[in-house]
Amino acid sequence: MGIWIDTDMGFDDIAAILVVAHSSLLIDGVSLVSGNAPLTQVRANAASAAAAFDWEFPIHTGRELPVLCKLETAQHILGQSGISTTGKSLPPVGELPASDAFTALCDWLEDGTERKRILALGPLTNIAALALARPDLTTRIDELTWMGGGVTSGNHTASAEFNAFADPEALAIVLAHGLPLRMVDLDICRKVLARPDDVDRVRQVGGKNAELLGDLLGGYVNIATSRGRLAMAIYDPTAAAIFIAPEIARIQHARIDVELQGQHTRGRTVVETRASHVEFNAHFAAEIDAEKARAIV
Ligand code: BDR
Ligand code: CA
């Protein structure tokens, strides 16, 4: 059975796609969204990654702007391309063929009878657009695993995780339409870490991309080490690991809401696990076997 990936194509997105591509899951399609960088750059990253890693699945162009707010990227942390490096960068290649993600996603959801699984690794703009325009099709989605949100804290701001902050209205729409959200948040991803010695491990794996992957992982780990931390959370690949092998996590039912108003808390995900207080509307990964996750990513 094939799956769908929605992504803003930074380094950890690429790593997550490589993890899925090396699993038994078949990638039917990928949709791109602005996030780590603006959509033009995300498209360029996707074209380069597809060429470097011999990806054969179709890659479609999604939404350029969030549902309501202005675009705020992570380029101030990740650099202009949204992908840091200590040496080699992804070689630039030509444009991706123009192909509309909304149409492709609708066609995929309409095709066949099996229930569909989506892995979302960026702001939820494309999925919200689907929910608004084709709510009938969202019932075909069996699972929407999303790297985003923070149960106890944020990273883009003190309150909000980046993917939630970048388009909180999209997350609110996804929740309001009852999509089967399975949130893999910051707290869980921070249990699965990449350290400087992992960079050498990647280089030693060999193969035509070992040096490139080592340099890109080095750039990614530097984001943390240059700020005095010992290791970097492997965000999107952790969501991919749970998507591939849900048994490595304890998935908990909860009420998840997103703050849309707060001056200092916009984009914060609010997770309530007391069934006596609220009606549950989503799931989140409450615990993870970090060793098993690292063995997958
Ligand atoms: C998330 O934000 C992006 O920068 C990463 O690719 C990841 O999806 C982490 O907050
Ligand atoms: Ca991402």
Side-chain angles (χ1 to χ4, degrees):
M1 183 183 74
I3 59 93
W4 190 276
I5 299 179
D6 186 68
T7 165
D8 58 343
M9 213 54 97
F11 172 69
D12 65 329
D13 299 73
I14 291 171
I17 294 171
L18 289 171
V19 167
V20 176
H22 284 96
S23 76
S24 61
L25 298 175
L26 183 71
I27 302 173
D28 283 342
V30 168
S31 47
L32 303 177
V33 66
S34 289
N36 282 320
L39 192 62
T40 319
Q41 182 65 53
V42 166
R43 291 187 76 221
N45 294 351
S48 297
F53 301 112
D54 303 317
W55 291 345
E56 284 178 357
F57 41 78
I59 302 178
H60 311 280
T61 302
R63 307 287 290 207
E64 191 166 9
L65 295 175
V67 172
L68 272 184
C69 56
K70 69 178 175 52
L71 179 65
E72 188 166 316
T73 70
Q75 286 167 301
H76 60 295
I77 304 282
L78 304 174
Q80 199 59 23
S81 73
I83 300 178
S84 318
T85 183
T86 52
K88 282 186 166 187
S89 299
L90 282 169
V93 295
E95 282 273 291
L96 274 180
S99 161
D100 175 47
F102 175 76
T103 310
L105 188 51
C106 289
D107 289 348
W108 178 71
L109 288 169
E110 278 174 330
D111 186 36
T113 53
E114 77 278 8
R115 310 271 295 162
K116 307 287 185 168
R117 299 178 72 214
I118 299 176
L119 175 63
L121 306 170
L124 287 170
T125 320
N126 287 334
I127 312 299
L130 174 82
L132 288 174
R134 291 295 308 272
D136 57 310
L137 287 182
T138 61
T139 57
R140 298 293 314 277
I141 302 171
D142 203 33
E143 177 192 334
L144 171 62
T145 289
W146 174 57
M147 192 283 123
V151 175
T152 64
S153 63
N155 58 357
H156 190 69
T157 68
S159 286
E161 181 280 331
F162 176 72
N163 290 336
F165 179 91
D167 198 346
E169 279 78 16
L171 173 56
I173 290 165
V174 164
L175 288 165
H177 280 77
L179 273 82
L181 184 74
R182 185 176 279 204
M183 183 171 93
V184 180
D185 85 309
L186 280 182
D187 294 341
I188 280 297
C189 295
R190 284 175 171 159
K191 298 198 163 114
V192 186
L193 300 169
R195 299 186 178 81
D197 56 338
D198 290 316
V199 177
D200 301 327
R201 195 171 53 87
V202 164
R203 287 188 201 287
Q204 279 155 18
V205 168
K208 74 169 175 137
N209 286 315
E211 197 183 336
L212 172 64
L213 275 173
D215 287 346
L216 298 182
L217 181 62
Y220 184 73
V221 172
N222 270 354
I223 295 169
T225 52
S226 65
R227 290 168 174 80
R229 303 197 304 271
L230 293 177
M232 180 75 184
I234 314 176
Y235 298 119
D236 293 342
T238 299
I242 292 176
F243 189 70
I244 293 164
E247 67 278 4
I248 67 170
R250 182 169 68 77
I251 309 291
Q252 190 170 342
H253 209 187
R255 169 97 205 166
I256 300 181
D257 289 294
V258 56
E259 174 60 58
L260 300 177
Q261 306 293 335
Q263 187 184 350
H264 302 292
T265 53
R266 185 171 152 79
R268 182 178 183 93
T269 46
V270 179
V271 179
E272 171 64 273
T273 54
R274 295 169 297 177
S276 55
H277 287 54
V278 290
E279 197 177 320
F280 288 169
N281 64 349
H283 289 80
F284 73 106
E287 284 175 34
I288 191 167
D289 184 326
E291 280 313 306
K292 286 188 179 155
R294 266 183 60 95
I296 297 173
V297 300

